[in-house]
């Protein structure tokens, strides 16, 4: 098996939480301000955690966290995940924002689960075409409940092709949890203008 049990748990949690937050926003149970408050609360919790290992938070991070993040900033992936959501719900119309959140939840999660089993390397040799294609299919299907299938497919495709490149700015890798929903949303907005 090429993927750890921890990574399977992480990505399953990623898909479930991402989908739940997207649906809560879609049905009006969460607003843009709720997403900002969620991000603020996470920043506060993880900042406090750096100095005081709160028992429940510590167990969750130990159970779900990537070991490399544990050494310098535990919970960083979760912060970027919510930051990507905050940007989406503030930048895009509601239907496109929800579709972007679904692409973030499903495309990004499925890519990490399917990619390690692929055989055909992408431009970035750490990624595989099989992982990218699986991510596009699942993300497009999930997003198509909120926008047209073609918009969902275009958003998921461009987002995953770009995410697979591992974009860096001044030696800092831009987190895929930010890239995926923002790129998907921009693509869907541009398609809507045609």
């Amino acid at each position: 098996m090429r993927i750890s049990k921890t990574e399977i748990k992480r990505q399953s949690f990623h898909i479930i939480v991402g989908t739940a937050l997207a649906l809560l926003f879609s049905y009006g149970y969460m607003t843009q301000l709720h997403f900002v408050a969620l991000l603020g609360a996470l920043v506060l919790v993880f900042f406090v955690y750096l100095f005081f290992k709160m028992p429940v938070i510590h167990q969750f991070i130990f159970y779900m966290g990537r070991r490399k993040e544990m050494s310098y900033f535990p919970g960083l992936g979760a912060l970027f995940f919510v930051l990507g959501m905050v940007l989406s719900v503030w930048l895009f119309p509601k239907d496109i924002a929800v579709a972007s959140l679904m692409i973030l939840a499903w495309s990004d999660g499925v890519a990490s689960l399917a990619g390690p089993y692929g055989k055909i390397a992408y431009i970035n040799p750490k990624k595989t075409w099989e992982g990218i294609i699986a991510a596009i299919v699942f993300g497009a299907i999930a997003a198509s409940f909120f926008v047209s299938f073609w918009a969902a497919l275009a958003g998921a495709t461009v987002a995953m092709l770009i995410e697979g490149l591992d974009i860096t700015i001044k030696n800092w890798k831009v987190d895929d949890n930010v890239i995926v929903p923002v790129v998907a949303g921009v693509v869907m907005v541009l398609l809507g203008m045609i």
Side-chain angles (χ1 to χ4, degrees):
M1 190 172 195
R2 292 185 181 177
I3 186 168
S4 70
K5 288 181 180 178
T6 301
E7 194 62 20
I8 292 170
K9 288 183 283 193
R10 274 178 60 84
Q11 298 309 325
S12 299
F13 188 75
H14 182 94
I15 291 168
I16 292 165
V17 171
T19 301
L21 291 173
L23 292 174
L24 288 170
F25 182 63
S26 175
Y27 291 108
Y29 294 106
M30 281 192 77
T31 66
Q32 294 165 317
L33 290 175
H34 286 126
F35 279 96
V36 173
L38 178 59
L39 180 61
L42 282 176
V43 168
L44 180 63
V45 165
F46 288 125
F47 183 74
V48 170
Y49 180 79
L50 290 174
F51 303 99
F52 173 67
K53 304 295 185 261
M54 297 166 281
V56 174
I57 303 297
H58 180 70
Q59 288 170 325
F60 180 79
I61 289 175
F62 185 80
Y63 185 69
M64 299 291 281
R66 287 188 176 128
R67 297 299 167 245
K68 63 182 180 180
E69 284 178 8
M70 296 288 284
S71 61
Y72 64 94
F73 200 112
L76 190 60
L79 292 176
F80 281 122
F81 182 67
V82 177
L83 176 60
M85 292 185 158
V86 168
L87 292 172
S88 297
V89 300
W90 282 91
L91 290 174
F92 308 124
K94 189 171 187 176
D95 58 342
I96 291 176
V98 175
S100 297
L101 299 185
M102 293 299 275
I103 291 170
L104 170 61
W106 285 90
S107 289
D108 194 39
V110 167
S112 296
L113 293 172
Y117 298 99
K119 306 256 190 256
I120 305 168
Y122 183 56
I123 298 165
N124 172 1
K126 293 186 282 186
K127 309 283 182 168
T128 64
W129 275 106
E130 293 91 339
I132 288 172
I133 290 168
I136 290 168
V137 169
F138 277 87
I141 291 169
S144 68
F145 287 96
F146 305 95
V147 294
S148 76
F149 176 75
W150 298 111
L153 181 61
T157 300
V158 176
M160 293 316 297
L161 292 175
I162 291 175
E163 183 272 341
L165 298 175
D166 279 351
I167 297 170
T168 56
I169 299 172
K170 294 188 178 182
N171 297 324
W172 179 71
K173 181 182 174 284
V174 181
D175 195 277
D176 56 350
N177 288 320
V178 175
I179 290 173
V180 169
V182 171
V183 169
V186 167
V187 169
M188 290 185 280
V189 166
L190 292 176
L191 271 181
M193 295 178 176
I194 297 174

